[in-house]
Amino acid sequence: MIARLLSHDLPRNRWLSAMLIVIVFCLAFAPFIFPGSKALNVAAKILIFIVLVASYDLLLGYTGIVSFAHTMFFGIGAYGVAIASTRLGASWSALGIGIVCALLVSMLLSLVIGLFSLRVRAIFYAMITLAVASAFQTLASQLSDFTGGEDGLNFKLPEVLSPAFQLAEEPILNASLDGRFITYYIVFFAAVVLFLAMLRIVNSPFGRVLQAIRENDFRAEAIGYRTVVFRTLSNVLAALFATLAGALLAIWLRYNGPDASLSFEIMIDILLIVVIGGMGTMYGAVIGTTIFTLAQSYLQDLMAIGASATQGIAWLSALLSPDRWLLWLGVLFVLSVYFFPTGMVGKLRGRTQGAK
């Protein structure tokens, strides 16, 4: 049953399996295990970025396409929900219309970009996607009457998703059964379904062709596959999944703006997570996103504790100052690349194959 659910792509390493089980368990019961708004926000961000990073890995890790426009589709999904909810009101139909319209726009844009750009060499395609993404971000910032400009859009969701909505007056196992609780589990189940769908895609005959194109597109073309068609379809699928991740972000935040979903910093984060987790492995999105997001969210707090505990050693306390958390985040990234050049999942799976 589990093998079929995972499309027969099992972790194939006991440590990797244990890490995935712990992560899934913690995310599934986050409202009960980790009370507090910050912890729940971190858990929701992990879920959303797992979908976003996995969709990018479908493009980069499985097809070998380097794109810098992935956050554009992420932003389209978020803006679709935000604009529809702002214009049509807080209703389920507004959410549905926003998501469907965002998917249509993303499909059209990704198809156009794919057909006109995927025939060029990789570096030129990357530069084209970077230019398109930058233009889209500028456009979103300037169309203030439509997108809210730099300030973005705050909007309301259906009442059942509102923080004021209460399923029960008393908390159950430290979890408040309110609208945020319901929203979290909508995000959780949606992320699980989308991740399993991508896992099925990469393990299907279509996914095998994408991997063949990644390894040697000339040979794939020689044996009869139209590589441009498959690369374009991969581009479209990755864009659609990124759009759905953006819609989940908007639903969770009840806000969207250029910095929230279109920032180039998000694109950098995606690339770092893919490298940490491992390219060409869907499980790498889960491991990499969890490690990176936890470090991004809690490293500063841990350093504050360390600086307080080492006040007697001036140089060490200064080195552990919370203001230097980005420095240490960079150090952790360098160490992860050095010790896990194929990503954590690739390294762990490599050890299992080596043992055999």
Side-chain angles (χ1 to χ4, degrees), residues 21-96:
I21 290 171
V22 170
I23 290 171
V24 172
F25 178 83
C26 290
L27 290 174
F29 298 100
F32 303 100
I33 302 173
F34 310 108
S37 59
K38 180 177 179 179
L40 202 61
N41 280 324
V42 171
K45 183 179 179 180
I46 290 173
L47 289 168
I48 293 165
F49 267 73
I50 284 174
V51 177
L52 180 61
V53 173
S55 67
Y56 188 70
D57 199 34
L58 175 64
L59 200 61
L60 176 63
Y62 284 91
T63 318
I65 298 173
V66 180
S67 170
F68 292 114
H70 212 60
T71 51
M72 178 180 72
F73 302 112
F74 186 56
I76 288 172
Y79 270 114
V81 170
I83 293 172
S85 298
T86 302
R87 299 297 177 97
L88 302 178
S91 65
W92 293 105
S93 59
L95 285 179

Coordinates of all heavy atoms in Angstrom, one line a residue, residues 21-96:
I21 N 9.8 10.1 8.2 CA 8.7 9.7 9.1 C 8.6 10.8 10.2 O 7.5 11.2 10.5 CB 9.0 8.3 9.7 CG1 8.8 7.2 8.6 CG2 8.0 8.1 10.8 CD1 9.2 5.9 9.1
V22 N 9.7 11.2 10.7 CA 9.7 12.2 11.8 C 9.1 13.5 11.2 O 8.3 14.2 11.9 CB 11.1 12.4 12.4 CG1 11.1 13.7 13.3 CG2 11.5 11.2 13.1
I23 N 9.6 13.9 10.0 CA 9.1 15.2 9.4 C 7.6 15.2 9.2 O 6.9 16.1 9.5 CB 9.9 15.5 8.2 CG1 11.3 15.9 8.5 CG2 9.2 16.7 7.4 CD1 12.2 16.0 7.3
V24 N 7.1 14.1 8.5 CA 5.7 13.9 8.2 C 4.9 13.9 9.5 O 3.8 14.5 9.6 CB 5.5 12.7 7.4 CG1 4.0 12.4 7.2 CG2 6.1 12.8 6.0
F25 N 5.4 13.2 10.5 CA 4.6 13.1 11.8 C 4.5 14.5 12.4 O 3.4 14.9 12.9 CB 5.3 12.1 12.7 CG 4.7 12.0 14.1 CD1 3.6 11.2 14.2 CD2 5.1 12.8 15.1 CE1 2.9 11.1 15.5 CE2 4.5 12.7 16.4 CZ 3.4 11.8 16.6
C26 N 5.6 15.2 12.4 CA 5.6 16.5 13.1 C 4.7 17.5 12.3 O 4.0 18.3 12.9 CB 7.0 17.1 13.2 SG 8.1 16.2 14.4
L27 N 4.8 17.4 11.0 CA 3.9 18.3 10.2 C 2.4 18.0 10.3 O 1.6 18.8 10.4 CB 4.3 18.3 8.7 CG 5.7 18.9 8.4 CD1 6.0 18.7 6.9 CD2 5.7 20.4 8.7
A28 N 2.2 16.7 10.4 CA 0.8 16.2 10.5 C 0.1 16.6 11.8 O -1.1 16.9 11.9 CB 0.7 14.7 10.3
F29 N 0.9 16.7 12.9 CA 0.4 17.0 14.2 C 1.0 18.3 14.8 O 1.0 18.5 16.0 CB 0.6 15.8 15.2 CG 0.0 14.5 14.7 CD1 0.7 13.5 14.1 CD2 -1.4 14.3 15.0 CE1 0.1 12.4 13.7 CE2 -2.0 13.2 14.6 CZ -1.3 12.2 13.9
A30 N 1.5 19.1 13.9 CA 2.1 20.4 14.4 C 1.2 21.2 15.3 O 1.7 21.8 16.3 CB 2.5 21.2 13.2
P31 N -0.1 21.4 15.0 CA -0.9 22.2 15.9 C -1.0 21.6 17.3 O -1.2 22.4 18.3 CB -2.3 22.2 15.2 CG -2.0 21.9 13.8 CD -0.9 20.9 13.8
F32 N -0.8 20.3 17.5 CA -0.9 19.7 18.8 C 0.5 19.6 19.5 O 0.6 19.8 20.7 CB -1.5 18.3 18.6 CG -2.8 18.2 18.0 CD1 -3.0 17.9 16.7 CD2 -4.0 18.6 18.7 CE1 -4.2 17.9 16.1 CE2 -5.2 18.5 18.1 CZ -5.4 18.2 16.8
I33 N 1.5 19.4 18.7 CA 2.9 19.2 19.2 C 3.5 20.5 19.5 O 4.2 20.7 20.5 CB 3.7 18.4 18.3 CG1 3.1 17.0 18.0 CG2 5.1 18.2 18.9 CD1 3.8 16.2 17.0
F34 N 3.4 21.5 18.6 CA 4.1 22.8 18.7 C 3.1 23.9 18.8 O 2.8 24.6 17.8 CB 5.0 23.0 17.5 CG 5.9 21.9 17.2 CD1 5.6 21.1 16.1 CD2 7.0 21.6 18.0 CE1 6.5 20.0 15.8 CE2 7.8 20.5 17.7 CZ 7.5 19.7 16.6
P35 N 2.5 24.2 20.0 CA 1.6 25.3 20.1 C 2.3 26.6 19.9 O 3.5 26.8 20.2 CB 1.1 25.1 21.6 CG 2.1 24.4 22.3 CD 2.8 23.5 21.3
G36 N 1.5 27.6 19.5 CA 2.1 28.9 19.2 C 2.0 29.3 17.8 O 2.2 28.4 16.9
S37 N 1.8 30.6 17.5 CA 1.6 31.0 16.1 C 2.9 30.9 15.3 O 2.9 30.5 14.1 CB 1.2 32.5 16.1 OG 2.1 33.3 16.8
K38 N 4.1 31.1 15.9 CA 5.3 31.1 15.1 C 5.6 29.6 14.6 O 5.9 29.4 13.5 CB 6.5 31.6 15.9 CG 7.8 31.5 15.2 CD 9.0 32.0 15.9 CE 10.3 32.0 15.1 NZ 11.5 32.5 15.8
A39 N 5.4 28.7 15.5 CA 5.7 27.3 15.1 C 4.7 26.8 14.0 O 5.1 26.1 13.1 CB 5.5 26.4 16.3
L40 N 3.5 27.3 14.1 CA 2.5 26.9 13.1 C 2.8 27.6 11.8 O 2.7 26.9 10.7 CB 1.1 27.3 13.6 CG -0.1 26.5 12.9 CD1 0.1 25.0 13.2 CD2 -1.4 27.0 13.4
N41 N 3.3 28.8 11.8 CA 3.7 29.5 10.6 C 4.9 28.8 9.9 O 4.9 28.7 8.7 CB 4.0 31.0 10.9 CG 2.8 31.8 11.1 OD1 1.8 31.7 10.4 ND2 2.9 32.8 12.0
V42 N 5.8 28.4 10.8 CA 7.0 27.7 10.2 C 6.6 26.3 9.6 O 7.0 26.0 8.5 CB 8.0 27.4 11.3 CG1 9.1 26.5 10.8 CG2 8.6 28.7 11.8
A43 N 5.7 25.6 10.2 CA 5.2 24.3 9.7 C 4.5 24.5 8.4 O 4.7 23.8 7.4 CB 4.3 23.6 10.7
A44 N 3.6 25.6 8.3 CA 2.9 25.9 7.1 C 3.8 26.3 6.0 O 3.7 25.9 4.8 CB 1.9 27.0 7.3
K45 N 4.9 27.1 6.3 CA 5.9 27.5 5.3 C 6.6 26.3 4.8 O 6.9 26.2 3.6 CB 6.8 28.5 5.9 CG 7.8 29.0 4.9 CD 8.8 30.0 5.5 CE 9.8 30.5 4.5 NZ 10.7 31.5 5.1
I46 N 6.9 25.3 5.6 CA 7.6 24.1 5.2 C 6.8 23.3 4.2 O 7.2 22.9 3.1 CB 8.0 23.2 6.4 CG1 9.1 23.8 7.2 CG2 8.4 21.8 5.9 CD1 9.4 23.1 8.5
L47 N 5.5 23.2 4.5 CA 4.6 22.5 3.6 C 4.5 23.2 2.2 O 4.6 22.5 1.2 CB 3.2 22.4 4.2 CG 3.0 21.5 5.4 CD1 1.7 21.7 6.1 CD2 3.1 20.0 5.0
I48 N 4.3 24.5 2.2 CA 4.2 25.2 1.0 C 5.5 25.1 0.2 O 5.5 24.9 -1.0 CB 3.8 26.7 1.3 CG1 2.4 26.7 1.9 CG2 3.9 27.5 0.0 CD1 2.1 28.1 2.5
F49 N 6.6 25.3 0.8 CA 7.9 25.3 0.1 C 8.3 23.9 -0.3 O 9.1 23.7 -1.3 CB 9.0 25.9 1.0 CG 9.2 27.4 0.7 CD1 8.2 28.3 1.1 CD2 10.2 27.8 0.0 CE1 8.4 29.6 0.9 CE2 10.4 29.2 -0.3 CZ 9.5 30.1 0.1
I50 N 7.8 22.8 0.3 CA 8.0 21.5 -0.2 C 7.4 21.3 -1.6 O 8.1 20.8 -2.5 CB 7.4 20.4 0.8 CG1 8.3 20.3 2.0 CG2 7.3 19.1 0.1 CD1 7.7 19.4 3.1
V51 N 6.2 21.8 -1.7 CA 5.6 21.8 -3.0 C 6.3 22.6 -4.1 O 6.6 22.2 -5.2 CB 4.1 22.2 -2.9 CG1 3.4 22.3 -4.3 CG2 3.3 21.4 -2.0
L52 N 6.7 23.8 -3.6 CA 7.4 24.8 -4.5 C 8.8 24.2 -5.0 O 9.1 24.2 -6.2 CB 7.6 26.1 -3.8 CG 8.3 27.2 -4.7 CD1 7.5 27.5 -5.9 CD2 8.5 28.5 -3.8
V53 N 9.5 23.7 -4.0 CA 10.9 23.2 -4.3 C 10.8 21.9 -5.1 O 11.5 21.7 -6.1 CB 11.7 22.9 -3.0 CG1 13.0 22.2 -3.3 CG2 11.9 24.3 -2.3
A54 N 9.8 21.0 -4.8 CA 9.6 19.8 -5.6 C 9.2 20.1 -7.0 O 9.7 19.5 -8.0 CB 8.6 18.9 -4.9
S55 N 8.4 21.1 -7.2 CA 8.1 21.5 -8.6 C 9.3 22.1 -9.3 O 9.4 21.8 -10.6 CB 6.9 22.6 -8.5 OG 7.4 23.8 -8.0
Y56 N 10.1 22.8 -8.7 CA 11.4 23.2 -9.3 C 12.3 22.1 -9.6 O 13.0 22.1 -10.6 CB 12.1 24.3 -8.5 CG 13.2 25.0 -9.2 CD1 13.0 25.8 -10.3 CD2 14.5 24.7 -8.8 CE1 14.0 26.4 -10.9 CE2 15.6 25.3 -9.5 CZ 15.3 26.2 -10.6 OH 16.3 26.8 -11.3
D57 N 12.4 21.1 -8.7 CA 13.2 20.0 -8.9 C 12.7 19.1 -10.1 O 13.5 18.5 -10.8 CB 13.3 19.1 -7.7 CG 14.5 18.2 -7.7 OD1 15.5 18.6 -8.2 OD2 14.4 17.0 -7.2
L58 N 11.4 19.2 -10.4 CA 10.9 18.5 -11.6 C 11.5 19.1 -12.8 O 11.7 18.4 -13.8 CB 9.3 18.7 -11.6 CG 8.6 18.2 -12.8 CD1 8.7 16.7 -12.9 CD2 7.1 18.6 -12.7
L59 N 11.8 20.4 -12.7 CA 12.3 21.2 -13.9 C 13.8 21.0 -13.9 O 14.4 20.7 -15.0 CB 11.9 22.6 -13.7 CG 12.0 23.5 -15.0 CD1 11.0 23.0 -16.0 CD2 11.7 25.0 -14.6
L60 N 14.5 21.2 -12.8 CA 16.0 21.3 -12.8 C 16.5 19.9 -12.6 O 17.4 19.4 -13.4 CB 16.5 22.2 -11.7 CG 18.0 22.2 -11.4 CD1 18.7 22.8 -12.6 CD2 18.3 23.1 -10.2
G61 N 16.1 19.2 -11.5 CA 16.7 17.9 -11.2 C 16.3 16.8 -12.1 O 17.1 15.9 -12.4
Y62 N 15.1 16.8 -12.7 CA 14.7 15.7 -13.5 C 14.8 16.0 -15.0 O 14.8 15.0 -15.8 CB 13.2 15.3 -13.2 CG 13.2 14.5 -11.9 CD1 13.0 15.2 -10.7 CD2 13.3 13.1 -11.9 CE1 12.9 14.5 -9.5 CE2 13.2 12.4 -10.7 CZ 13.0 13.1 -9.5 OH 13.0 12.4 -8.3
T63 N 14.7 17.2 -15.4 CA 14.7 17.6 -16.8 C 16.0 18.3 -17.2 O 16.4 18.4 -18.4 CB 13.5 18.4 -17.2 OG1 12.4 17.9 -16.6 CG2 13.3 18.4 -18.7
G64 N 16.7 18.9 -16.2 CA 18.0 19.6 -16.5 C 17.8 21.0 -17.0 O 18.7 21.5 -17.7
I65 N 16.6 21.6 -16.7 CA 16.3 23.0 -17.2 C 16.6 23.9 -16.0 O 16.0 23.8 -15.0 CB 14.9 23.1 -17.7 CG1 14.6 22.2 -18.8 CG2 14.6 24.5 -18.0 CD1 13.2 22.1 -19.3
V66 N 17.4 24.9 -16.3 CA 17.7 26.0 -15.3 C 16.8 27.2 -15.6 O 16.9 27.8 -16.7 CB 19.2 26.4 -15.3 CG1 19.4 27.5 -14.3 CG2 20.1 25.2 -15.1
S67 N 15.9 27.5 -14.7 CA 15.0 28.6 -14.9 C 15.0 29.5 -13.6 O 15.1 29.0 -12.5 CB 13.5 28.0 -15.1 OG 12.6 29.1 -15.1
F68 N 14.9 30.8 -13.9 CA 14.8 31.8 -12.8 C 13.4 32.4 -12.8 O 13.3 33.4 -12.1 CB 15.9 32.9 -13.0 CG 17.3 32.4 -12.8 CD1 18.2 32.3 -13.9 CD2 17.7 31.9 -11.6 CE1 19.5 31.9 -13.7 CE2 19.0 31.4 -11.4 CZ 19.9 31.4 -12.5
A69 N 12.5 31.8 -13.5 CA 11.1 32.4 -13.5 C 10.2 31.6 -12.6 O 9.0 31.8 -12.7 CB 10.6 32.4 -15.0
H70 N 10.7 30.7 -11.8 CA 9.8 29.9 -11.0 C 9.0 30.7 -10.0 O 7.8 30.4 -9.8 CB 10.6 28.8 -10.3 CG 9.8 27.5 -10.2 ND1 9.3 26.8 -11.3 CD2 9.4 26.8 -9.1 CE1 8.7 25.7 -10.8 NE2 8.7 25.7 -9.5
T71 N 9.6 31.7 -9.4 CA 8.9 32.5 -8.5 C 7.8 33.3 -9.2 O 6.8 33.7 -8.5 CB 9.8 33.5 -7.7 OG1 10.6 34.2 -8.7 CG2 10.7 32.7 -6.8
M72 N 7.9 33.5 -10.5 CA 6.8 34.3 -11.2 C 5.5 33.4 -11.1 O 4.5 34.0 -10.9 CB 7.3 34.5 -12.6 CG 6.2 35.2 -13.5 SD 6.7 35.4 -15.2 CE 6.7 33.8 -15.8
F73 N 5.6 32.1 -11.4 CA 4.4 31.3 -11.3 C 3.9 31.2 -9.9 O 2.7 31.1 -9.7 CB 4.8 29.9 -11.9 CG 5.3 30.0 -13.3 CD1 6.6 29.7 -13.7 CD2 4.4 30.4 -14.4 CE1 7.0 29.8 -15.0 CE2 4.9 30.5 -15.7 CZ 6.2 30.2 -16.0
F74 N 4.9 31.1 -8.9 CA 4.5 31.1 -7.5 C 3.7 32.4 -7.2 O 2.6 32.3 -6.5 CB 5.8 31.1 -6.7 CG 5.6 30.9 -5.2 CD1 4.9 29.9 -4.7 CD2 6.2 31.8 -4.3 CE1 4.7 29.7 -3.3 CE2 6.0 31.7 -3.0 CZ 5.3 30.6 -2.5
G75 N 4.1 33.5 -7.7 CA 3.4 34.8 -7.5 C 2.1 34.8 -8.2 O 1.2 35.4 -7.7
I76 N 2.0 34.3 -9.4 CA 0.8 34.3 -10.1 C -0.3 33.5 -9.3 O -1.5 34.0 -9.2 CB 0.9 33.6 -11.5 CG1 1.7 34.5 -12.4 CG2 -0.4 33.3 -12.1 CD1 2.1 33.9 -13.7
G77 N 0.1 32.4 -8.7 CA -0.9 31.6 -7.9 C -1.4 32.4 -6.7 O -2.6 32.5 -6.4
A78 N -0.4 33.1 -6.0 CA -0.8 33.9 -4.9 C -1.6 35.1 -5.3 O -2.6 35.5 -4.6 CB 0.5 34.4 -4.2
Y79 N -1.3 35.8 -6.4 CA -2.0 36.9 -6.8 C -3.4 36.5 -7.3 O -4.4 37.3 -7.2 CB -1.3 37.7 -7.9 CG -0.4 38.8 -7.3 CD1 1.0 38.7 -7.5 CD2 -0.9 39.9 -6.7 CE1 1.9 39.7 -7.0 CE2 -0.1 40.9 -6.2 CZ 1.3 40.8 -6.3 OH 2.1 41.7 -5.8
G80 N -3.5 35.3 -7.9 CA -4.8 34.9 -8.3 C -5.8 34.8 -7.2 O -6.9 35.3 -7.3
V81 N -5.4 34.2 -6.1 CA -6.2 34.1 -4.9 C -6.5 35.5 -4.3 O -7.6 35.8 -3.9 CB -5.6 33.2 -3.9 CG1 -6.4 33.2 -2.5 CG2 -5.6 31.7 -4.4
A82 N -5.4 36.3 -4.2 CA -5.6 37.6 -3.6 C -6.5 38.5 -4.3 O -7.4 39.2 -3.8 CB -4.2 38.3 -3.4
I83 N -6.3 38.6 -5.6 CA -7.1 39.5 -6.5 C -8.6 39.1 -6.5 O -9.5 39.9 -6.4 CB -6.5 39.6 -7.9 CG1 -5.2 40.3 -7.8 CG2 -7.5 40.4 -8.8 CD1 -4.4 40.3 -9.1
A84 N -8.8 37.8 -6.7 CA -10.2 37.2 -6.8 C -10.9 37.5 -5.4 O -12.1 37.9 -5.4 CB -10.1 35.8 -7.1
S85 N -10.2 37.2 -4.3 CA -10.8 37.4 -3.0 C -11.1 38.9 -2.7 O -12.1 39.2 -2.1 CB -9.9 36.8 -1.9 OG -9.8 35.4 -2.1
T86 N -10.2 39.8 -3.2 CA -10.4 41.2 -3.0 C -11.6 41.7 -3.8 O -12.4 42.5 -3.4 CB -9.1 42.0 -3.4 OG1 -8.0 41.5 -2.6 CG2 -9.3 43.4 -3.1
R87 N -11.7 41.3 -5.1 CA -12.7 41.8 -6.0 C -14.0 41.1 -5.8 O -15.1 41.7 -6.0 CB -12.2 41.6 -7.5 CG -11.0 42.3 -7.8 CD -11.1 43.8 -7.7 NE -9.9 44.6 -7.9 CZ -9.6 45.1 -9.1 NH1 -10.5 45.0 -10.1 NH2 -8.5 45.8 -9.3
L88 N -14.0 39.8 -5.5 CA -15.3 39.0 -5.5 C -15.8 38.7 -4.1 O -16.9 38.2 -3.9 CB -15.1 37.7 -6.2 CG -14.7 37.8 -7.7 CD1 -14.4 36.4 -8.2 CD2 -15.7 38.5 -8.5
G89 N -15.0 39.1 -3.1 CA -15.4 38.9 -1.7 C -14.9 37.5 -1.1 O -14.3 36.7 -1.8
A90 N -15.2 37.4 0.2 CA -14.7 36.2 0.9 C -15.6 35.1 0.7 O -16.6 34.9 1.4 CB -14.6 36.5 2.4
S91 N -15.3 34.3 -0.3 CA -16.2 33.1 -0.6 C -15.4 32.0 -1.2 O -14.3 32.2 -1.7 CB -17.3 33.5 -1.6 OG -16.8 33.9 -2.9
W92 N -15.9 30.8 -1.2 CA -15.2 29.6 -1.8 C -15.2 29.8 -3.3 O -14.2 29.3 -3.9 CB -15.9 28.3 -1.4 CG -15.8 28.0 0.1 CD1 -16.8 28.2 1.0 CD2 -14.7 27.6 0.8 NE1 -16.4 27.8 2.3 CE2 -15.1 27.4 2.1 CE3 -13.4 27.2 0.4 CZ2 -14.2 27.0 3.1 CZ3 -12.5 26.8 1.4 CH2 -12.9 26.6 2.7
S93 N -16.2 30.3 -3.9 CA -16.2 30.5 -5.3 C -15.1 31.5 -5.8 O -14.5 31.3 -6.8 CB -17.6 31.0 -5.8 OG -17.9 32.3 -5.2
A94 N -14.9 32.5 -5.0 CA -13.8 33.5 -5.3 C -12.4 32.7 -5.2 O -11.6 32.9 -6.1 CB -13.8 34.6 -4.3
L95 N -12.2 31.9 -4.2 CA -11.0 31.1 -4.2 C -10.8 30.2 -5.4 O -9.8 30.1 -6.0 CB -11.0 30.2 -2.9 CG -10.7 31.0 -1.6 CD1 -10.7 29.9 -0.4 CD2 -9.3 31.7 -1.6
G96 N -11.9 29.5 -5.8 CA -11.9 28.6 -6.9 C -11.6 29.4 -8.2 O -10.7 29.0 -9.0

